């Protein structure tokens, strides 16, 4: 069923917009069927390959997309810093004077 969800999102949004994360701490009984521990994560890769996803698609889904988005966010952050925009912590021109 988990693979059905991944497959659906990939078909609707595209492989470049799918990413997975995991947290096995404190979720007793609430894990997807067949994924009982981190040792089971390769099952996701195999299931994607079995459905015809390429190795590159699997790489994107299983972490590549997340890393790409983080790099893009960091690049935008550097650009905004270079523009010397006011920081959120700086007093803004529309702030009301403190009483």
């Amino acid at each position: 069923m988990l693979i059905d969800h991944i497959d659906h999102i990939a078909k609707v949004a595209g492989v470049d917009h799918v990413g997975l994360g995991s947290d096995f701490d404190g979720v007793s009984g609430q894990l997807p069927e067949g994924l009982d521990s981190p040792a089971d994560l390769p099952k996701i890769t195999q299931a994607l390959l079995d459905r015809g996803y390429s190795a590159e698609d699997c790489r994107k889904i299983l972490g590549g997309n997340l890393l790409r988005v983080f790099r893009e966010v960091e690049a935008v952050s550097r650009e905004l810093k270079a523009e010397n925009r006011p920081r959120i912590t700086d007093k803004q021109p529309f702030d009301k004077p403190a009483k």
Side-chain angles (χ1 to χ4, degrees), residues 2-4 6-7 10 15 20 41-62:
L2 173 66
I3 301 304
D4 291 337
I6 296 168
D7 193 40
V15 172
L20 299 181
L41 290 175
K43 293 178 181 178
I44 295 173
T45 306
Q46 188 58 56
L48 291 170
L49 291 169
D50 291 347
R51 290 202 181 192
Y53 287 87
S54 68
E56 178 63 14
D57 289 344
C58 291
R59 186 196 66 74
K60 290 177 179 182
I61 292 169
L62 300 172

Side-chain angles (χ1 to χ4, degrees), residues 5 12 29 33 35 41 53 57 59 72 77 83 87 94:
H5 290 288
V12 171
E33 186 177 325
L35 294 177
L41 290 175
Y53 287 87
D57 289 344
R59 186 196 66 74
E72 291 172 4
S77 174
E83 291 176 8
R87 304 225 186 279
F94 49 81

